[in-house]
Amino acid sequence: MEKRPFATKDQLEAIAEEYGTPFHLYDEAGIRRNAQAVKEAFAWNPGFREYFAVKATPNPFLMSILQEYGCGFDCSSYTELQLAAAVGARGSDIMFSSNETPFADYALASELGAIVNLDDISHIDFFEQAAGGIPETVSCRFNPGGMFEISNGIMDNPGDSKYGMTTDQLFEAFRILKSKGAQNFGIHAFLCSNTVTNDYYPKLARVLFDLAVRLQQETGAHIAFINLSGGVGVAYTPDQTPNDIYAIGEGVKAAFEEILVPAGMGDVAIFTEMGRFMMAPYGALVTRAIHHKHIYKEYVGVDACAVNLMRPAMYGAYHHITVMGKEDAPCDHVYDVVGGLCENNDKFAIDRALPEIEDGPEGDLLFIHDTGAHGFSMGYSYNGKLKSAEILLKEDGTFQLIRRAETPSDYFATFDCFEPYAHLSQG
């Protein structure tokens, strides 16, 4: 698959002139097309809902776009709950899936009426205290253990994951929750991350559908929904074939009709939580080449760093890079593309074949693809580096600032208790 930027060089230079570099850019048209496709792919299930994983891209402007397509929000912390509430989400608009959850987080989730997805059987009493009782609708997270395999091999090892309950714990949790007044139950599972195969959701669905039939028969609990969580990935490398959400939807439908419908459970709603699939391809990190270094290797230094995009440093993840204005130029130079952190893993690319890159104050702009999920959100403040702006490229070609860049006053704001820095935290 050829990767092409969703913006032109002129558009990026105009944004850079107004806001500087680096910046995160999002493609409104692409986000809308994709959200509509997800909605259509699961339209066969009347109760279907995508709960966008706020952790992936916690920006209220983008969340509001997804709301137009019926999306709810999957939250995992107190602050994410506040963010969902700020865009008007309440009650079943919010799925609260967390682990090692503080008391205050459960209390706020209860106050907002969110559907709480319990990660462990030991949380039941803790949650009951925080919420002032067990609500009518509750969900539990399942971990089958062992290896998770599909037709093309082992996908992941749930047995090494800290998330979810064992099979026996899940059955016991349903019985306990039912005795405490729960009437409608959900099952949730997340077994693989960033799968680039149309087989993952259908295979997971079969596991959960079989489990749901057993749970309803053996505990008498009413299964209201099954949450397939995330895991549907994107094609980060050009040689990968992107997932087909329509084929995925049809695969889940086939499993639904084969397993749940004959069991009299055709009213079960299907939920998803696709942060990466919903947003990653529709975001980019735009950075300027500012230095060259010629030592044992050839380095291109840019004004972004792992503070702006941690995935390459943290996971060794690949992100495609386009040198703007040189999209069709030969890739006849080999560079490490690096940021300015005092860490040797602060590299966006290693031994990457690219066109010749010009550096300096007016150096080439580099478009780092597929950063729309887990890009800005994973940033941190090491070396006193500041987070960059987020910009929305609107459908009409104009652009809108949707989060300003941090300033030194933001960095110093929490030092207002230290007298010498008090004035710095005020601007």
Side-chain angles (χ1 to χ4, degrees), residues 240-253:
Q240 291 178 309
T241 300
N243 283 323
D244 181 343
I245 197 62
Y246 291 99
I248 291 170
E250 283 301 309
V252 175
K253 179 183 179 182

Side-chain angles (χ1 to χ4, degrees), residues 19 40 96 104 114 143 145-146 149 164 181 189 202 205 214 251 255 271 276 283 302 332 342 350 391 401:
Y19 297 110
E40 291 173 357
F96 185 60
N143 182 333
E149 300 181 48
R214 286 181 54 206
F271 296 162
R276 191 189 312 268
V302 298
D332 52 5
C342 298
I350 298 174
I391 312 290
L401 180 69

